[in-house]
Structures are given as structure tokens and as C-alpha cells.
Amino acid sequence: RRHFLAALPALAMAPRLWAQSPAPALRVRGLSQLTLTVSDLARSLKFYQDLLGLPVQARQPGMALLRVGAGPQFVALKQAATGEAPSISAFGMGVEGFSVERAQQVVTQLGATATRSGPTLFVTDPSGVVFQLHDVSYCGGSGALGNVCNAVEASPSKGLFATRDLSHFTIRVTDQ
């Protein structure tokens, strides 16, 4: 009984302690994709397949999505529009239990611009860097979550490097 009575003040404080550490609004699992805007899609597709041996896991208009490792991570090659310079144009992060509506609500509360595109959300940060939020299973394919990529096209080349994962990249901004 004494131990129970001694523990009562701690139990009374517990809700306050938990309230100070709210759960994150979005649970990002990690980097899921990188989009490269290229001047010649066919030429870049050949180059990256010869270099990395990545199969095409999905195609979208003007894009080829190259599977990294076992997927669903990918490098997207996007044909540049007339007058658009080649660049690293976007990156994506997989979110557990993803909801476009919930993600849009969270990022717009921070003052970010967010645009829905199918099962994903494109967000523009204060420096103008674009990133994409989507479900962790997103592969750029069909289905409600964009997670159906059944028609994987093998790379015509084994590639010079064995690529298993995306680990990081650097974004240069004018105002950190």
C-alpha cells in the first residue's frame, strides 16, 4: 500500500508529461525518390541504365521511373519542358499511414505551398525547393496509393555499379 500511495503523485503528473511530447503529425520513414529533369529522356535513360543497371518500374507521361534495389525507391527521369534547365528537380519521402488531406493540412499550417497530384502531395519549401510526400509503398505506378508497379522493364544493361538504396543528397539554398 505504501508503494502505491507513494506513486500517486507521479501518476497525477503523467498526463502532463505526455502532453508535452505530442506525437509527430507525419511519420516520414525516409527518402523514397529523386527526380532529375533531363534534356533528353531517351539519352538519360540509356546513360543511367548503362551506369546503374536500374530497371524501369513505372512510366508516367514524359517520365521513366527507375527502380532502386528491390523498390519501391526510385530515380525518376523527367523530360524538361521547352526552356527548362536540367536539374535535380524534386525528392520524395515516404510517410507511414499517408493521407494527402492530412499532409496538406500539416504543411500549409507552416505556410508552405502544397499541390495534390493523384496519390501524392508536392510541397514547395521557403527556398523554392520542391519535395513530394506519399505513402511508403508508392512506386509511381497505378492504384489508389500509386503502389502498383507490376510491369517492371528489365534494364538492357547490368550497369557498372550495383545500386541497392538511396541514402542522401545535398540541396543548396540561399537562406538556411
Side-chain angles (χ1 to χ4, degrees):
R1 241 186 324 177
R2 283 185 222 169
H3 293 295
F4 174 74
L5 292 174
L8 284 177
L11 287 174
M13 288 297 293
R16 290 186 197 152
L17 294 173
W18 287 319
Q20 292 173 5
S21 301
L26 300 175
R27 293 186 181 274
V28 174
R29 183 179 290 172
L31 182 63
S32 60
Q33 61 102 346
L34 180 64
T35 301
L36 306 176
T37 298
V38 298
S39 58
D40 183 322
L41 182 57
R43 182 180 67 203
S44 292
L45 178 58
K46 180 179 179 353
F47 173 80
Y48 283 102
Q49 286 190 314
D50 286 349
L51 180 68
L52 305 172
L54 304 176
V56 175
Q57 78 178 9
R59 290 187 184 264
Q60 296 177 3
M63 295 180 75
L65 286 64
L66 302 174
R67 176 173 283 176
V68 174
Q73 292 180 317
F74 61 91
V75 173
L77 303 176
K78 175 184 162 197
Q79 177 63 53
T82 303
E84 184 179 13
S87 65
I88 298 173
S89 50
F91 68 94
M93 294 181 285
V95 178
E96 294 177 2
F98 182 71
S99 156
V100 173
E101 294 78 15
R102 176 73 180 125
Q104 189 164 20
Q105 178 186 31
V106 169
V107 298
T108 55
Q109 286 177 353
L110 295 173
T113 303
T115 306
R116 181 182 186 146
S117 178
T120 70
L121 188 67
F122 284 91
V123 181
T124 304
D125 81 1
S127 293
V129 175
V130 177
F131 63 93
Q132 185 177 6
L133 298 175
H134 45 71
D135 189 79
V136 294
S137 64
Y138 179 77
C139 64
S142 60
L145 297 175
N147 61 344
V148 179
C149 290
N150 295 332
V152 176
E153 303 166 30
S155 174
S157 170
K158 183 179 177 185
L160 301 174
F161 297 101
T163 307
R164 297 183 332 180
D165 200 357
L166 294 174
S167 66
H168 78 280
F169 61 95
T170 302
I171 300 172
R172 297 191 190 278
V173 296
T174 56
D175 183 1
Q176 293 181 7

